[in-house]
PDB file of all heavy atoms in Angstrom:
ATOM      1  N   ALA A  94      71.353  96.735 128.910  1.00 83.00           N
ATOM      2  CA  ALA A  94      70.173  96.033 129.424  1.00 83.00           C
ATOM      3  C   ALA A  94      69.799  94.866 128.511  1.00 83.00           C
ATOM      4  O   ALA A  94      69.578  93.742 128.977  1.00 83.00           O
ATOM      5  CB  ALA A  94      69.003  96.998 129.561  1.00 83.00           C
ATOM      6  N   LEU A  95      69.746  95.103 127.219  1.00 87.00           N
ATOM      7  CA  LEU A  95      69.406  94.042 126.270  1.00 87.00           C
ATOM      8  C   LEU A  95      70.497  92.967 126.242  1.00 87.00           C
ATOM      9  O   LEU A  95      70.203  91.776 126.195  1.00 87.00           O
ATOM     10  CB  LEU A  95      69.193  94.624 124.877  1.00 87.00           C
ATOM     11  CG  LEU A  95      68.640  93.691 123.808  1.00 87.00           C
ATOM     12  CD1 LEU A  95      67.325  93.055 124.256  1.00 87.00           C
ATOM     13  CD2 LEU A  95      68.452  94.444 122.498  1.00 87.00           C
ATOM     14  N   SER A  96      71.754  93.390 126.320  1.00 84.00           N
ATOM     15  CA  SER A  96      72.864  92.432 126.359  1.00 84.00           C
ATOM     16  C   SER A  96      72.778  91.550 127.592  1.00 84.00           C
ATOM     17  O   SER A  96      73.022  90.337 127.530  1.00 84.00           O
ATOM     18  CB  SER A  96      74.213  93.163 126.333  1.00 84.00           C
ATOM     19  OG  SER A  96      74.399  93.808 125.097  1.00 84.00           O
ATOM     20  N   ASN A  97      72.428  92.143 128.721  1.00 81.00           N
ATOM     21  CA  ASN A  97      72.286  91.363 129.956  1.00 81.00           C
ATOM     22  C   ASN A  97      71.154  90.345 129.851  1.00 81.00           C
ATOM     23  O   ASN A  97      71.262  89.231 130.354  1.00 81.00           O
ATOM     24  CB  ASN A  97      72.065  92.278 131.162  1.00 81.00           C
ATOM     25  CG  ASN A  97      73.330  92.993 131.563  1.00 81.00           C
ATOM     26  OD1 ASN A  97      74.432  92.549 131.260  1.00 81.00           O
ATOM     27  ND2 ASN A  97      73.174  94.125 132.228  1.00 81.00           N
ATOM     28  N   VAL A  98      70.062  90.716 129.185  1.00 87.00           N
ATOM     29  CA  VAL A  98      68.943  89.793 129.006  1.00 87.00           C
ATOM     30  C   VAL A  98      69.381  88.580 128.197  1.00 87.00           C
ATOM     31  O   VAL A  98      69.146  87.439 128.582  1.00 87.00           O
ATOM     32  CB  VAL A  98      67.740  90.495 128.338  1.00 87.00           C
ATOM     33  CG1 VAL A  98      66.691  89.486 127.898  1.00 87.00           C
ATOM     34  CG2 VAL A  98      67.130  91.520 129.286  1.00 87.00           C
ATOM     35  N   ILE A  99      70.046  88.813 127.066  1.00 88.00           N
ATOM     36  CA  ILE A  99      70.465  87.690 126.228  1.00 88.00           C
ATOM     37  C   ILE A  99      71.535  86.857 126.929  1.00 88.00           C
ATOM     38  O   ILE A  99      71.519  85.624 126.867  1.00 88.00           O
ATOM     39  CB  ILE A  99      70.923  88.148 124.820  1.00 88.00           C
ATOM     40  CG1 ILE A  99      71.119  86.952 123.881  1.00 88.00           C
ATOM     41  CG2 ILE A  99      72.205  88.943 124.867  1.00 88.00           C
ATOM     42  CD1 ILE A  99      69.869  86.362 123.352  1.00 88.00           C
ATOM     43  N   ALA A 100      72.448  87.507 127.626  1.00 85.00           N
ATOM     44  CA  ALA A 100      73.505  86.776 128.332  1.00 85.00           C
ATOM     45  C   ALA A 100      72.917  85.898 129.433  1.00 85.00           C
ATOM     46  O   ALA A 100      73.285  84.725 129.572  1.00 85.00           O
ATOM     47  CB  ALA A 100      74.516  87.760 128.920  1.00 85.00           C
ATOM     48  N   THR A 101      71.993  86.448 130.201  1.00 87.00           N
ATOM     49  CA  THR A 101      71.353  85.690 131.278  1.00 87.00           C
ATOM     50  C   THR A 101      70.551  84.525 130.716  1.00 87.00           C
ATOM     51  O   THR A 101      70.584  83.416 131.247  1.00 87.00           O
ATOM     52  CB  THR A 101      70.452  86.616 132.122  1.00 87.00           C
ATOM     53  OG1 THR A 101      71.257  87.671 132.652  1.00 87.00           O
ATOM     54  CG2 THR A 101      69.801  85.856 133.257  1.00 87.00           C
ATOM     55  N   SER A 102      69.865  84.751 129.620  1.00 91.00           N
ATOM     56  CA  SER A 102      69.050  83.686 129.022  1.00 91.00           C
ATOM     57  C   SER A 102      69.909  82.540 128.496  1.00 91.00           C
ATOM     58  O   SER A 102      69.437  81.422 128.352  1.00 91.00           O
ATOM     59  CB  SER A 102      68.176  84.241 127.892  1.00 91.00           C
ATOM     60  OG  SER A 102      68.948  84.497 126.733  1.00 91.00           O
ATOM     61  N   ARG A 103      71.183  82.813 128.251  1.00 92.00           N
ATOM     62  CA  ARG A 103      72.087  81.776 127.757  1.00 92.00           C
ATOM     63  C   ARG A 103      72.998  81.230 128.858  1.00 92.00           C
ATOM     64  O   ARG A 103      73.877  80.434 128.610  1.00 92.00           O
ATOM     65  CB  ARG A 103      72.982  82.320 126.631  1.00 92.00           C
ATOM     66  CG  ARG A 103      72.248  82.820 125.409  1.00 92.00           C
ATOM     67  CD  ARG A 103      71.461  81.709 124.712  1.00 92.00           C
ATOM     68  NE  ARG A 103      71.083  82.029 123.356  1.00 92.00           N
ATOM     69  CZ  ARG A 103      69.962  82.620 122.997  1.00 92.00           C
ATOM     70  NH1 ARG A 103      69.096  83.014 123.913  1.00 92.00           N
ATOM     71  NH2 ARG A 103      69.684  82.828 121.733  1.00 92.00           N
ATOM     72  N   GLY A 104      72.777  81.679 130.094  1.00 90.00           N
ATOM     73  CA  GLY A 104      73.546  81.168 131.225  1.00 90.00           C
ATOM     74  C   GLY A 104      74.929  81.766 131.386  1.00 90.00           C
ATOM     75  O   GLY A 104      75.770  81.215 132.082  1.00 90.00           O
ATOM     76  N   GLN A 105      75.176  82.919 130.771  1.00 84.00           N
ATOM     77  CA  GLN A 105      76.483  83.557 130.885  1.00 84.00           C
ATOM     78  C   GLN A 105      76.699  84.073 132.298  1.00 84.00           C
ATOM     79  O   GLN A 105      75.798  84.639 132.905  1.00 84.00           O
ATOM     80  CB  GLN A 105      76.606  84.720 129.899  1.00 84.00           C
ATOM     81  CG  GLN A 105      77.937  85.438 129.976  1.00 84.00           C
ATOM     82  CD  GLN A 105      77.994  86.618 129.003  1.00 84.00           C
ATOM     83  OE1 GLN A 105      77.221  86.702 128.066  1.00 84.00           O
ATOM     84  NE2 GLN A 105      78.911  87.519 129.254  1.00 84.00           N
ATOM     85  N   VAL A 106      77.893  83.875 132.805  1.00 79.00           N
ATOM     86  CA  VAL A 106      78.268  84.421 134.100  1.00 79.00           C
ATOM     87  C   VAL A 106      79.478  85.324 133.907  1.00 79.00           C
ATOM     88  O   VAL A 106      80.256  85.146 132.985  1.00 79.00           O
ATOM     89  CB  VAL A 106      78.601  83.300 135.125  1.00 79.00           C
ATOM     90  CG1 VAL A 106      77.361  82.490 135.429  1.00 79.00           C
ATOM     91  CG2 VAL A 106      79.704  82.414 134.620  1.00 79.00           C
ATOM     92  N   GLY A 107      79.640  86.282 134.762  1.00 74.00           N
ATOM     93  CA  GLY A 107      80.763  87.204 134.652  1.00 74.00           C
ATOM     94  C   GLY A 107      80.448  88.372 133.746  1.00 74.00           C
ATOM     95  O   GLY A 107      79.391  88.458 133.134  1.00 74.00           O
ATOM     96  N   ARG A 108      81.412  89.258 133.678  1.00 73.00           N
ATOM     97  CA  ARG A 108      81.256  90.480 132.893  1.00 73.00           C
ATOM     98  C   ARG A 108      81.234  90.172 131.400  1.00 73.00           C
ATOM     99  O   ARG A 108      82.049  89.416 130.895  1.00 73.00           O
ATOM    100  CB  ARG A 108      82.411  91.437 133.210  1.00 73.00           C
ATOM    101  CG  ARG A 108      82.156  92.842 132.718  1.00 73.00           C
ATOM    102  CD  ARG A 108      83.230  93.781 133.162  1.00 73.00           C
ATOM    103  NE  ARG A 108      84.162  93.911 132.046  1.00 73.00           N
ATOM    104  CZ  ARG A 108      85.386  94.369 132.138  1.00 73.00           C
ATOM    105  NH1 ARG A 108      85.867  94.697 133.314  1.00 73.00           N
ATOM    106  NH2 ARG A 108      86.159  94.469 131.101  1.00 73.00           N
ATOM    107  N   ALA A 109      80.316  90.772 130.705  1.00 81.00           N
ATOM    108  CA  ALA A 109      80.181  90.563 129.261  1.00 81.00           C
ATOM    109  C   ALA A 109      81.344  91.204 128.512  1.00 81.00           C
ATOM    110  O   ALA A 109      82.064  92.054 129.043  1.00 81.00           O
ATOM    111  CB  ALA A 109      78.863  91.161 128.777  1.00 81.00           C
ATOM    112  N   LEU A 110      81.476  90.817 127.279  1.00 91.00           N
ATOM    113  CA  LEU A 110      82.454  91.452 126.407  1.00 91.00           C
ATOM    114  C   LEU A 110      82.066  92.904 126.177  1.00 91.00           C
ATOM    115  O   LEU A 110      80.887  93.249 126.221  1.00 91.00           O
ATOM    116  CB  LEU A 110      82.504  90.733 125.060  1.00 91.00           C
ATOM    117  CG  LEU A 110      83.056  89.329 125.064  1.00 91.00           C
ATOM    118  CD1 LEU A 110      82.811  88.672 123.709  1.00 91.00           C
ATOM    119  CD2 LEU A 110      84.537  89.328 125.392  1.00 91.00           C
ATOM    120  N   ASP A 111      83.060  93.717 125.912  1.00 94.00           N
ATOM    121  CA  ASP A 111      82.796  95.117 125.601  1.00 94.00           C
ATOM    122  C   ASP A 111      82.740  95.358 124.099  1.00 94.00           C
ATOM    123  O   ASP A 111      82.288  96.399 123.652  1.00 94.00           O
ATOM    124  CB  ASP A 111      83.854  96.003 126.247  1.00 94.00           C
ATOM    125  CG  ASP A 111      83.733  95.974 127.765  1.00 94.00           C
ATOM    126  OD1 ASP A 111      82.724  96.475 128.281  1.00 94.00           O
ATOM    127  OD2 ASP A 111      84.623  95.420 128.427  1.00 94.00           O
ATOM    128  N   GLY A 112      83.215  94.387 123.337  1.00 96.00           N
ATOM    129  CA  GLY A 112      83.148  94.522 121.890  1.00 96.00           C
ATOM    130  C   GLY A 112      83.991  93.492 121.174  1.00 96.00           C
ATOM    131  O   GLY A 112      84.638  92.654 121.799  1.00 96.00           O
ATOM    132  N   VAL A 113      83.950  93.598 119.858  1.00 97.00           N
ATOM    133  CA  VAL A 113      84.670  92.669 118.997  1.00 97.00           C
ATOM    134  C   VAL A 113      85.339  93.463 117.880  1.00 97.00           C
ATOM    135  O   VAL A 113      84.729  94.379 117.318  1.00 97.00           O
ATOM    136  CB  VAL A 113      83.700  91.632 118.385  1.00 97.00           C
ATOM    137  CG1 VAL A 113      84.394  90.745 117.358  1.00 97.00           C
ATOM    138  CG2 VAL A 113      83.054  90.787 119.477  1.00 97.00           C
ATOM    139  N   THR A 114      86.567  93.096 117.588  1.00 98.00           N
ATOM    140  CA  THR A 114      87.256  93.626 116.421  1.00 98.00           C
ATOM    141  C   THR A 114      87.404  92.488 115.428  1.00 98.00           C
ATOM    142  O   THR A 114      87.720  91.364 115.807  1.00 98.00           O
ATOM    143  CB  THR A 114      88.658  94.160 116.798  1.00 98.00           C
ATOM    144  OG1 THR A 114      88.519  95.321 117.612  1.00 98.00           O
ATOM    145  CG2 THR A 114      89.468  94.526 115.560  1.00 98.00           C
TER     146      THR A 114
END
Side-chain angles (χ1 to χ4, degrees):
L95 188 55
S96 293
N97 286 337
V98 169
I99 190 77
T101 302
S102 75
R103 299 297 198 270
Q105 179 182 341
V106 294
R108 194 174 98 198
L110 292 170
D111 293 293
V113 174
T114 292

